[in-house]
């Protein structure tokens, strides 16, 4: 019965899910059509909101691209790759391989979403090279499924924004937050850590159980996954070449960056924000690649994985412009959706409806920054009035933002590019994970409240 449900989901996605860029275009048109009657806006007003929004997330898009590229470059460091290859030889059965990929990916995504996403896919490809009879689609889907804990982890943009001084918290939340909220009340809150642990265990078990029977496995020829070995660098002769291949320069600049992080985090007591995450993985990557030139090459290869972000972020920013745009009627679509959740909430159910609101909005605006702009002015104000802890409100938004990423193909683009698959190849499996994790998250938020 379980395998029939999985096959149904896979076939459904294969038939109806378009290429992610087409998905972004369709969502733009849907938001455009909905905004006019609900918000009583004219077509010209909606077009103007869309155009004004297209370039509104450039700074945040740059941060997201750097998180991805620095995490990817770190994952490609020789010592990291050797560790991944050695670990890939451990599983002896397809189900064991699926479970291991899921667990490694989820833990790495909790640390840093870009690093975890890429490590998970690289690990899955290494296993596909070594283990016969494992379904390649499910391997990559398992690597991506760990992404569901991203916003509940150390690179979650909303809790990191809440913890960052000078991020206009009071203005954005309309006075609901006057001081930064430390990550001890969000990411590292015991309730959140328990939810993360239960979600990871659940997807490890469910993904292993989803592995198809032997006659239905879709494997990949291992020879297709082997890449050309990098050529050793020629002997440095000129002063420029010696500088390019100088380990001393890598160590000096990395120690400078890491020293700043120590001062920033431990001496000044500042928050572990998005910039800190990027700096940590950037300078660790430089050290582990050995020389500046080696890191430049790894960084250059990783940049291609950010192509989807660069192309699609302006379109999702445009959708955010439609969602947040206020016309002559004084109404915006984001407020309508948020208020609908607020109006049926009690102090106990408020985090749950905030979660669902964020999950719906994430289909149109798959960006923590976008959710912050849309929901922070409403959700934190109402949450404060209901007596709901600000940390819980922030994590409810974060979990909702992460949850529907399982069926929103935007963030899967880098993984799919590395795996050479299409979104429709993995999303059928992700639908099962969506339902399982949704039940756990809802229960966790109700208990936290």
């Amino acid at each position: 019965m379980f395998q029939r449900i999985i096959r149904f989901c896979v076939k459904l996605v294969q038939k109806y899910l378009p290429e992610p860029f087409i998905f972004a275009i369709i969502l733009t048109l849907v938001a455009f059509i909905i905004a006019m009657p609900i918000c009583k806006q004219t077509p010209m007003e909606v077009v103007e909101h869309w155009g004004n929004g297209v370039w509104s997330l450039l700074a945040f898009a740059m941060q997201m691209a750097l998180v991805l590229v620095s995490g990817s470059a770190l994952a490609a460091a020789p010592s990291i790759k050797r560790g991944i290859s050695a670990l890939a030889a451990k599983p002896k059965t397809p189900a064991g391989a699926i479970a291991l990929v899921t667990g490694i990916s989820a833990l790495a995504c909790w640390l840093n979403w870009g690093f975890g996403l890429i490590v998970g896919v690289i690990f899955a490809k290494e296993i596909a090279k070594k283990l016969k009879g494992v379904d390649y689609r499910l391997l990559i889907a398992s690597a991506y499924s760990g992404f569901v804990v991203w916003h509940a982890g150390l690179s979650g943009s909303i809790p990191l924004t809440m913890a960052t001084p000078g991020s206009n918290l009071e203005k954005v939340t309309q006075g609901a937050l006057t001081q930064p909220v430390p990550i001890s009340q969000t990411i590292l809150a015991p309730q959140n850590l328990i939810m993360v642990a239960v979600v990871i265990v659940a997807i490890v078990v469910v993904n292993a159980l989803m592995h198809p029977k032997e006659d239905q496995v879709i494997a990949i020829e291992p020879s297709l996954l082997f890449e050309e070995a990098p050529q050793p660098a020629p002997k440095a002769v000129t002063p420029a070449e010696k500088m390019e291949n100088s380990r001393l320069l890598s160590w000096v600049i990395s120690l400078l960056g890491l020293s700043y992080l120590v001062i920033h985090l431990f001496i000044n007591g500042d928050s572990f924000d998005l910039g800190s995450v990027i700096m940590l993985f950037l300078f660790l990557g430089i050290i582990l690649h050995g020389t500046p030139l080696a890191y430049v090459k790894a960084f250059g290869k990783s940049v291609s994985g950010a192509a989807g972000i660069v192309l699609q972020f302006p379109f999702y920013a445009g959708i955010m412009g439609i969602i947040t745009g206020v016309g002559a009627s004084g109404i915006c679509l984001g407020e309508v959706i948020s208020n609908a959740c607020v109006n049926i909430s009690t102090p106990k159910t408020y985090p749950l409806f905030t979660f669902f609101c964020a999950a719906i909005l994430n289909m149109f605006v798959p960006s923590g920054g976008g959710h912050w702009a849309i929901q922070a002015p409403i959700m934190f104000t109402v949450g404060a009035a209901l007596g709901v802890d600000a940390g819980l409100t922030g994590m409810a938004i974060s979990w909702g933002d992460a949850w529907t990423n399982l069926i929103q193909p935007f963030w899967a683009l880098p993984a799919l590019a590395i795996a050479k698959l299409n979104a429709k190849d993995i999303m059928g499996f992700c639908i099962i994970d969506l339902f399982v994790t949704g039940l756990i998250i809802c229960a966790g938020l109700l208990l936290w409240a």
Side-chain angles (χ1 to χ4, degrees):
M1 183 65 179
F2 185 50
Q3 287 295 328
R4 288 182 182 178
I5 295 173
I6 296 168
R7 288 196 296 272
F8 171 77
C9 291
V10 170
K11 289 179 180 178
L12 189 70
V13 168
Q14 285 279 348
K15 187 173 183 180
Y16 291 106
L17 182 68
E19 203 277 336
F21 181 52
I22 305 301
F23 192 68
I25 294 174
I26 292 172
L27 288 177
T28 301
L29 298 177
V30 170
F32 189 96
I33 294 170
I34 291 175
M36 289 187 288
I38 292 181
C39 301
K40 299 178 182 179
Q41 295 178 3
T42 66
M44 187 175 295
E45 284 180 317
V46 180
V47 169
E48 190 173 358
H49 295 326
W50 177 81
N52 290 338
V54 164
W55 308 120
S56 63
L57 292 179
L58 285 180
F60 186 70
M62 182 64 174
Q63 285 182 310
M64 291 295 99
L66 281 173
V67 169
L68 171 63
V69 177
S70 62
S72 302
L74 177 59
S79 57
I80 299 290
K81 291 182 74 172
R82 285 195 297 271
I84 291 173
S85 181
L87 191 59
K90 299 296 183 183
K92 305 302 179 184
T93 65
I98 296 298
L100 189 59
V101 166
T102 305
I104 294 293
S105 173
L107 289 172
C109 281
W110 188 84
L111 292 172
N112 175 270
W113 69 267
F115 178 66
L117 183 61
I118 304 307
V119 163
V121 177
I122 293 173
F123 185 40
K125 288 182 66 176
E126 285 296 319
I127 287 179
K129 295 176 187 177
K130 301 175 184 294
L131 184 64
K132 293 183 178 180
V134 63
D135 193 287
Y136 187 60
R137 304 164 305 163
L138 182 55
L139 265 177
I140 304 304
S142 299
Y144 181 63
S145 66
F147 206 58
V148 74
V149 299
W150 159 27
H151 278 294
L154 295 179
S155 59
S157 53
I158 290 174
L160 291 182
T161 300
M162 293 171 64
T164 303
S167 55
N168 296 320
L169 285 176
E170 187 170 1
K171 180 180 178 181
V172 173
T173 62
Q174 298 184 350
L177 295 181
T178 57
Q179 297 292 331
V181 179
I183 61 173
S184 60
Q185 298 177 25
T186 54
I187 297 169
L188 300 181
Q191 299 93 326
N192 185 64
L193 293 176
I194 292 171
M195 289 172 64
V196 168
V198 174
V199 165
I200 292 176
V201 170
I203 59 175
V204 166
V205 173
V206 169
N207 287 346
L209 292 174
M210 279 198 287
H211 196 273
K213 296 179 181 178
E214 188 175 346
D215 59 341
Q216 296 170 344
V217 167
I218 297 182
I220 188 169
E221 174 57 43
S223 62
L224 298 176
L225 299 176
F226 284 97
E227 300 175 358
E228 185 177 345
Q231 298 298 318
K235 184 178 179 180
V237 177
T238 67
E241 291 173 342
K242 290 179 179 179
M243 286 188 287
E244 290 170 349
N245 292 280
S246 170
R247 291 182 178 272
L248 178 61
L249 281 179
S250 290
W251 274 98
V252 168
I253 193 64
S254 297
L255 288 175
L256 179 64
L258 295 175
S259 296
Y260 168 78
L261 275 181
V262 171
I263 295 170
H264 175 71
L265 297 174
F266 300 105
I267 298 178
N268 295 342
D270 295 324
S271 302
F272 188 71
D273 54 18
L274 198 55
S276 302
V277 172
I278 295 170
M279 288 190 71
L280 177 63
F281 284 92
L282 174 66
F283 292 112
L284 283 179
I286 293 174
I287 288 176
L288 292 178
H289 277 282
T291 68
L293 184 60
Y295 188 71
V296 166
K297 291 179 179 179
F299 201 89
K301 288 182 179 180
S302 301
V303 165
S304 61
I309 295 176
V310 175
L311 172 62
Q312 295 186 38
F313 238 92
F315 289 88
Y316 282 105
I319 295 173
M320 192 180 83
I322 297 174
I323 298 290
T324 58
V326 179
S329 63
I331 305 172
C332 81
L333 188 55
E335 289 183 2
V336 171
I337 296 172
S338 297
N339 286 330
C341 296
V342 168
N343 291 336
I344 58 175
S345 298
T346 66
K348 183 72 174 176
T349 61
Y350 184 71
L352 184 63
F353 286 115
T354 299
F355 162 75
F356 281 122
C357 180
I360 294 169
L361 285 172
N362 186 58
M363 296 302 296
F364 295 90
V365 187
S367 154
H371 282 263
W372 180 254
I374 294 169
Q375 293 192 274
I378 301 169
M379 294 308 189
F380 285 98
T381 303
V382 176
L386 291 174
V388 178
D389 178 70
L392 174 55
T393 299
M395 291 314 298
I397 298 172
S398 297
W399 276 108
D401 188 7
W403 182 50
T404 42
N405 280 333
L406 287 170
I407 54 171
Q408 220 296 1
F410 177 70
W411 293 111
L413 294 174
L416 294 169
I418 294 172
K420 298 180 181 179
L421 291 179
N422 193 284
K424 62 181 66 178
D425 294 320
I426 70 169
M427 287 297 166
F429 300 106
C430 291
I431 289 176
I432 304 297
D433 287 326
L434 181 83
F435 286 112
V436 172
T437 56
L439 292 173
I440 295 169
I441 296 166
C442 288
L445 291 174
L446 286 172
L447 289 172
W448 191 345

